[in-house]
Structure formats: structure tokens, C-alpha cells
Amino acid sequence: MEAILQETKFIMNKYHIKANRNLGQNFLVNEKTIEKIIESSNIQKTDLVIEIGPGLGTLTKQLLEKAGKVICIELDAKMITILKDRFKLYSNFEIIHQDVLKVDLQTLIKREKEQAKIEKVKIVANLPYYITTPIIMKLLEERLDLETITVMVQKEVADRLTAIPGEKNTGAITYSVFYYAEATQIIEVEKESFIPEPEVTSMVIQFNIRKQPKVKIKDEKAMFNIIKNAFTQRRKTLLNALTNTHIFQNKEQGIQILKQLGLKENVRAEELTLEQFAKITEKL
Ligand code: SAM
């Protein structure tokens, strides 16, 4: 039995823990995957790492050895007890008992960056899958002062998040992510790498946060609203989708705009690049 599996079972027994599926608890027990997450995060002594959902502390232990500081955000009180116990001797460990979606990360990062020794801030997480998208969108949309985000997500979601607009596997979210970050796939992770096993295959992905968003746009909210509407009716042509949702005042206006951009009348949302959506937004 892998040492990590043994250790996880030991901790679960000691604290009478049963994984809570409602909280997306699937504990990572694969040594190679843990190594890959840590290695790809390239953590330095001048880094602050924010870990979302540390659970029993499997990744936390490695992060504490490498980072200047680790701040964990965990919702489950049972995990808080374990983590406090387990890492009480580490002076670079802090824990926040809260729903990550409610944490004011902006203020937290600002406070930590005022400490002389912290230069960069990185997020590392094996995410609870029931709130993957809201967490990732919070991290990106709040324009946090982050270097990288390295996270485990479901493979299907990973494909969407790391796709390139205009190519295959895209959805509205692909465009949002691409605007803020460059996303890459790190490693595919089989179900057997967790206890309990999740229902789907997983993947570790990494976002490198862009210093400047990918396109210049005055009203990014308007652009993302157009993209969302274009993809809600993705089986239709872009012209019909945006006319039906009243983004175009009428078909004639739509035809004219598509023509000005050199796009076919029957073009579909997924064929457009981010720049082309930005141009449509500017024209409107
Ligand atoms: N990091 C551990 C590991 O890799 O074994 C556990 C990962 S488990 C997939 C997800 C963790 O996120 C659980 O510990 C769960 O309690 C925690 N969690 C669930 N919802 C949360 C929320 N809204 N805010 C913070 N943590 C949450």
C-alpha cells in the first residue's frame, strides 16, 4: 500500500472521518499526482500559497515545506480540527474556517503582500467539484494579484477551461478564462487516485494569470454577456442566437455587423475568436 494511502486511512480512523460527499470530499492518495501538483506549482520560499479545501492536509504538508507561507481555506469544521492538530508546529501555517466563495481574497492578499518576504501569490487546490466553476471565476474575475492557479478539476471541465477560443471543446467559460489567463493541462488523474473514488476522471490544470487581459475592451461585462447569450443557443447560428436574445436589435443589424467583421452569415458562436467577440461588442 502506498504510504500516502496508509497515512490517509490512519488519519481518517483516528478522527472518525467519513468523507462528506456533499462537500466534494475525495481525498487524494496518489503519490505521483501529489508530486506533479507540487512540482508544477514551482513554489519558492518567497511565495504565499493559498490552498482551497485542504481536507486532511495531504497537499498542505508538502506546501508548508516549500512555501514562505500557506493559508488554507476550509469549510468543514472536522477538517479544521485535524489541520490545526497536524500543523501546529509550523509557524508559516494559517487556516481560515470559511466558505471560500465568501472570503475577501483581495484584502487577504494585500495584507500578506505587505509582508516583506512575500513576493508572489499562488493558488493550489484539489477543488470540491460541486463548486469548481464559481471558485475559478471568483479567482479570475476579482483580478487578484496572483501568479498561478494550479487546480484539480473534472477532466470534462478541464477540457473546456483549457480550450482555445475558435477551436474545439469551447464553451462560454473558455472565453472568460482565456481573457484572464493562459491555461494548460498538467496531468490526467484516474478515479483510483482518490478515496472515495469520484464518478469521473480528473485532471490537474494550471492558469498563468496574464498581466494584461488578452483583448482591450471598454465594457468587458457587455462582452461576456454577448458570449453567454451566443452559447446558450449554440445549436443556432450566431446571427439567430444574438437576434433571439435581443443583443442585435434585429437581423439586419446583425447581418451588417457580421459583414463588417468579414464573418459568414451562418457562422456559429464556437467559430469566433475572443477578438471577434470584442469587436462585435464595440460595434454595439
Ligand atoms: N485537499 C484535499 C486532498 O487533496 O485530499 C481535499 C480535497 S477535497 C476534493 C475538497 C475539499 O474542499 C474538502 O476538504 C472540502 O471539505 C472542502 N470544501 C468544500 N466546499 C468548500 C467551500 N465552499 N469552501 C472551502 N472548502 C470547501
Side-chain angles (χ1 to χ4, degrees):
M1 204 195 295
E2 271 198 276
I4 191 73
L5 178 57
Q6 234 167 350
E7 189 180 39
T8 305
K9 285 191 168 164
F10 175 81
I11 297 173
M12 289 177 82
N13 273 334
K14 181 174 167 195
Y15 292 91
H16 310 292
I17 297 294
K18 259 189 126 186
N20 182 342
R21 282 188 187 264
N22 290 334
L23 285 179
Q25 290 180 352
N26 301 97
F27 303 115
L28 190 53
V29 288
N30 182 298
E31 214 101 40
K32 202 177 110 215
T33 309
I34 294 165
E35 261 169 42
K36 196 79 191 164
I37 293 174
I38 301 295
E39 177 204 302
S40 62
S41 309
N42 186 26
I43 295 156
Q44 311 292 322
K45 282 288 170 206
T46 47
D47 289 343
L48 162 69
V49 175
I50 301 176
E51 190 192 0
I52 300 167
L56 305 169
T58 310
L59 286 168
T60 322
K61 193 171 146 197
Q62 312 276 335
L63 296 169
L64 283 166
E65 298 296 338
K66 305 236 174 224
K69 183 163 182 184
V70 179
I71 299 181
C72 290
I73 304 171
E74 172 61 61
L75 184 59
D76 186 352
K78 285 188 187 158
M79 300 297 144
I80 300 286
T81 309
I82 298 172
L83 294 160
K84 279 190 176 161
D85 226 10
R86 215 177 154 186
F87 303 122
K88 60 180 172 238
L89 297 179
Y90 285 83
S91 58
N92 60 341
F93 173 67
E94 189 182 317
I95 189 148
I96 299 175
H97 181 196
Q98 210 179 338
D99 174 352
V100 65
L101 295 177
K102 296 192 180 139
V103 177
D104 178 357
L105 291 171
Q106 203 111 44
T107 307
L108 179 77
I109 291 171
K110 191 162 171 275
R111 182 193 81 193
E112 292 300 321
K113 273 215 142 175
E114 278 161 9
Q115 317 282 319
K117 68 172 194 191
I118 297 300
E119 286 173 12
K120 292 179 178 167
V121 184
K122 296 172 179 170
I123 303 271
V124 177
N126 171 14
L127 288 177
Y129 292 168
Y130 74 104
I131 42 169
T132 302
T133 308
I135 294 178
I136 290 178
M137 290 323 294
K138 173 185 167 79
L139 298 175
L140 295 174
E141 284 177 348
E142 289 186 1
R143 294 277 181 90
L144 304 171
D145 185 4
L146 296 173
E147 205 62 23
T148 54
I149 302 172
T150 309
V151 283
M152 175 94 70
V153 299
Q154 290 136 282
K155 185 182 178 310
E156 199 188 328
V157 177
D159 287 339
R160 274 270 145 91
L161 295 174
T162 59
I164 307 282
E167 298 181 11
K168 62 177 176 38
N169 286 331
T170 57
I173 197 167
T174 310
Y175 291 77
S176 307
V177 169
F178 193 72
Y179 179 72
Y180 297 109
E182 200 183 336
T184 47
Q185 302 192 344
I186 305 287
I187 189 176
E188 192 170 301
V189 185
E190 298 310 319
K191 297 176 194 177
E192 295 75 27
S193 302
F194 304 86
I195 48 169
E197 289 183 16
E199 274 156 28
V200 289
T201 305
S202 300
M203 184 170 275
V204 178
I205 57 175
Q206 187 166 70
F207 302 99
N208 267 294
I209 308 301
R210 300 185 195 280
K211 299 288 171 239
Q212 296 294 333
K214 183 70 179 163
V215 295
K216 270 209 172 118
I217 177 100
K218 276 196 216 102
D219 189 349
E220 57 186 49
K221 263 205 177 135
M223 178 175 75
F224 290 125
N225 183 46
I226 291 174
I227 295 175
K228 193 183 86 199
N229 280 294
F231 274 88
T232 339
Q233 306 201 357
R234 65 183 297 163
R235 281 172 205 285
K236 301 214 164 81
T237 63
L238 181 73
L239 179 62
N240 284 337
L242 294 188
T243 308
N244 292 346
T245 51
H246 309 290
I247 300 280
F248 293 146
Q249 281 163 9
N250 48 47
K251 246 183 163 159
E252 289 64 44
Q253 187 200 28
I255 292 171
Q256 207 184 6
I257 291 177
L258 294 181
K259 210 170 175 186
Q260 284 168 3
L261 295 181
L263 292 167
K264 297 174 296 183
E265 244 177 63
N266 63 352
V267 72
R268 285 171 196 278
E270 67 257 31
E271 294 176 71
L272 263 67
T273 63
L274 181 64
E275 286 78 5
Q276 286 167 326
F277 272 114
K279 282 191 181 145
I280 293 181
T281 314
E282 295 297 352
K283 293 217 175 283
L284 287 164

